[in-house]
Amino acid sequence: MSEWQHPGAAELAGRRIAVVGLGKSGRACARALTELTEARVSVWDADITKLGAVTALPVDTGGSDPTPAELARKVLAWRPDVIIPAPAIPEIGPLFTTAADHGIELWSEIELAWRLRTHDGAGHAAPWLAVTGTNGKTTTVTMAAHILRAAHLGAEPIGNVGNPAVTAVSATGPDAPRAFALELSSFQLRTTHTMEPAASICLNIADDHLEWHGNRAAYAAAKARIYEHVRTAAVYPVGDSTVQSMVDSADVREGARAIGITTGIPAVGQIGIVDGLIVDRAYGKQRWTSAVEIASLNDVAQLAPTTAALPRHLIWDALAAVALTRAIDIPAEVVRAGLQHMRPGHHRIETVSERAGVRYVDDSKATNAHAALASVSALAEGTCVWIVGGQPKGARFESLVAQVRDRLRAVVVIGVNQEPWHAALDGANLPVTYIDPAASEPMARAVLAASRYAQTGDTVMLAPASASMDQFTSYADRGDRFAAAVRALPAPSEGSAVTGDGAPATGSTSAGDGAPTEETVQDNGAADSATEARHA
């Protein structure tokens, strides 16, 4: 056997594999299939211009159609054995349903990556540490990747963070990573079947992506797949009965254990906190009688927003990263070094400016209610001017608003579909500004409106609880535009003053004055009827 092998490639020889959707992961799949296997490959996309990205590859054929049902028909007419759909293609769409009707396998890019992962000369492959959840995935997987780098085992996190897994795990040579940290979305997990991670965790689960899966049961079932075939550790947050039931129901490999994480004192089989220290009673040889000190919470204090305490959700993320990496025997001192080198990521509770005593925080990555709740609830009572809105992904926000109501001074709503926010905020007895969905610069208008509400000591928080693609190209673009709008704010002497009760003194039209502008204000739950109709 030569030093580097892709034993799974042989199983794909002669199979007809259709790659549908030529974004970053689709292009990576097409390259891996044509370079490493003898499969017959076709490529498809709703946008015909995307086919140009793979013209140099020896694919069997390619096709396009902007209508999902017609594209699915064309793909099926090619008679594939396997279809690899892009993450954006919904479970309830025609491609999934038509493939199921014809008994055709659907694989995610993650499934292909598992099958094509590199093995060394002794037949060993690098272990995978897999992370999913409604909130905290990227932070946790980035922490785990820092720990792997400190151990000289790994590189950048892969998967849903934007780095295709199939490219990373099929790399060869002495510099190839020897362990991987993967962020996995419900979209990816839905069509992942044979992956056997060394350790995995579902951090939490709340309603999200219901428009993709069809209902919350299907969404939860996709998330639960993270625990299937786990080899060493199925990690779960203690006290979360939904996630624990996923672990209890999972078909894991013989010898795998359930490992709990807790912000309290850990029992045997758990990792937790004692006097500000992260301690391990899950993996240590003496876990029945003592705990192994791993790190201090001070080792991740740099992740706290400026002037704020370390948010509780970041503590959970650190515990998860510790539990995952300890599962592959990384020593405590190396885990600690990895955590110490972690730095805050862009667009995740990132303070972009402080102006006139007001802090402006970019949490554009809070694309669902669960993430927004974690950020807003960490603020002091009555000090948050909250910028929300975007693509709701089938979610409702009444419960979220009720949970953070005491933290709020005012709300500014962006996005094309503002109906879910009207439903959640009407009658909440809060000042609310709705930015006209047709505004050419919605973020600039939102930041200006928010600045007029804010008082000294307040935080203007962009935590949209929604996806970004209705008005922006990505959550990063949304966050960048927020930061740019904050930088462009006029100095306090040049702009409008803030009244003592936090209402805008100038600029926005208040409810009931009969002259709605691009920003319309709903004050104390009573909106002008003409304005409501205009923004429905």
Side-chain angles (χ1 to χ4, degrees):
M1 188 181 201
S2 63
E3 186 177 1
W4 305 102
Q5 295 284 331
H6 302 97
E11 300 174 5
L12 304 185
R15 300 195 75 182
R16 299 170 67 87
I17 302 179
V19 178
V20 184
L22 295 174
K24 187 180 290 188
S25 65
R27 296 194 303 271
C29 287
R31 283 194 298 270
L33 285 165
T34 55
E35 292 173 2
L36 300 177
T37 80
E38 296 180 9
R40 292 185 63 182
V41 181
S42 65
V43 292
W44 310 81
D45 198 283
D47 180 355
I48 195 169
T49 64
K50 296 287 184 68
L51 299 179
V54 293
T55 53
L57 299 179
V59 297
D60 184 85
T61 190
S64 176
D65 199 284
T67 304
E70 185 61 18
L71 181 62
R73 186 194 66 77
K74 290 181 177 180
V75 172
L76 269 292
W78 185 70
R79 296 180 291 107
D81 300 306
V82 175
I83 296 172
I84 301 178
I89 297 173
E91 177 180 359
I92 61 174
L95 185 67
F96 273 70
T97 55
T98 305
D101 290 343
H102 289 78
I104 298 171
E105 294 181 76
L106 289 165
W107 291 0
S108 66
E109 182 241 326
I110 304 302
E111 176 67 20
L112 181 65
W114 180 258
R115 292 170 181 263
L116 294 183
R117 68 197 190 282
T118 298
H119 290 62
D120 63 19
H124 299 140
W128 288 18
L129 307 178
V131 180
T132 197
T134 303
N135 185 32
K137 297 185 296 296
T138 300
T139 302
T140 299
V141 79
T142 303
M143 286 180 175
H146 272 78
I147 294 168
L148 293 180
R149 284 199 292 274
H152 305 293
L153 294 176
E156 294 298 312
I158 58 177
N160 193 53
V161 289
N163 301 319
V166 69
T167 303
V169 306
S170 62
T172 60
D175 296 327
R178 290 182 287 142
F180 294 98
L182 297 93
E183 177 184 324
L184 301 181
S185 69
S186 58
F187 306 160
Q188 293 166 319
L189 286 165
R190 168 62 179 80
T191 48
T192 298
H193 312 289
T194 62
M195 177 184 70
E196 297 183 6
S200 64
I201 185 170
C202 178
L203 296 164
N204 42 61
I205 188 162
D207 285 356
D208 199 14
H209 300 302
L210 303 188
E211 86 296 348
W212 194 98
H213 293 281
N215 55 63
R216 64 184 59 182
Y219 173 61
K223 289 291 192 187
R225 298 178 73 88
I226 196 82
Y227 293 116
E228 292 299 314
H229 317 307
V230 164
R231 293 178 173 182
T232 301
V235 184
Y236 68 95
V238 174
D240 189 323
S241 58
T242 301
V243 176
Q244 186 164 353
S245 69
M246 295 178 181
V247 174
D248 294 341
S249 302
D251 181 15
V252 301
R253 290 290 173 254
E254 185 176 354
R257 294 192 294 134
I259 302 297
I261 57 173
T262 175
T263 56
I265 298 173
V268 175
Q270 297 178 355
I271 289 173
I273 296 175
V274 178
D275 295 332
L277 300 175
I278 299 175
V279 298
D280 175 0
R281 293 196 68 192
Y283 302 109
K285 293 180 179 179
Q286 307 300 321
R287 60 183 178 272
W288 296 102
T289 57
S290 62
V292 176
E293 179 182 329
I294 303 296
S296 165
L297 292 181
N298 289 332
D299 293 321
V300 290
Q302 73 277 10
L303 302 180
T306 306
T307 74
L310 186 67
R312 189 174 181 83
H313 65 271
L314 288 177
I315 298 174
W316 280 105
D317 296 344
L319 290 166
V322 170
L324 291 170
T325 53
R326 290 285 285 169
I328 57 172
D329 299 323
I330 294 182
E333 62 272 17
V334 176
V335 174
R336 184 171 198 161
L339 293 176
Q340 289 172 334
H341 285 91
M342 174 78 175
R343 291 295 178 266
H346 291 308
H347 313 299
R348 189 69 179 102
I349 338 178
E350 180 182 11
T351 298
V352 299
S353 181
E354 290 195 28
R355 299 168 57 93
V358 176
R359 192 158 56 101
Y360 291 81
V361 176
D362 170 12
D363 196 18
S364 183
K365 201 173 188 306
T367 58
N368 56 65
H370 195 275
L373 172 63
S375 298
V376 176
S377 60
L379 300 177
E381 184 174 329
T383 65
C384 180
V385 180
W386 188 22
I387 300 177
V388 300
Q391 289 178 312
K393 300 180 290 183
R396 307 298 294 181
F397 303 108
E398 289 86 345
S399 176
L400 171 62
V401 170
Q403 290 178 84
V404 300
R405 171 64 183 83
D406 65 332
R407 301 295 198 271
L408 303 178
R409 181 180 300 284
V411 183
V412 179
V413 181
I414 60 174
V416 173
N417 179 10
Q418 297 178 352
E419 183 280 327
W421 291 103
H422 276 289
L425 292 165
D426 289 359
N429 196 30
L430 278 168
V432 181
T433 295
Y434 291 90
I435 303 300
D436 188 337
S440 60
E441 295 290 342
M443 185 59 74
R445 296 180 181 277
V447 168
L448 182 60
S451 72
R452 290 169 171 165
Y453 282 121
Q455 300 183 34
T456 300
D458 284 356
T459 297
V460 172
M461 171 75 76
L462 171 66
S466 306
S468 60
M469 300 293 282
D470 57 342
Q471 293 179 316
F472 308 94
T473 59
S474 65
Y475 75 78
D477 175 47
R478 179 170 61 187
D480 289 342
R481 289 174 183 261
F482 171 78
V486 172
R487 290 192 295 270
L489 282 172
S493 60
E494 301 169 6
S496 60
V498 176
T499 64
D501 64 0
T506 64
S508 295
T509 303
S510 62
D513 69 3
T517 62
E518 279 196 312
E519 296 90 59
T520 57
V521 175
Q522 174 185 322
D523 195 4
N524 295 326
D528 179 85
S529 58
T531 297
E532 287 285 348
R534 186 168 179 245
H535 294 297

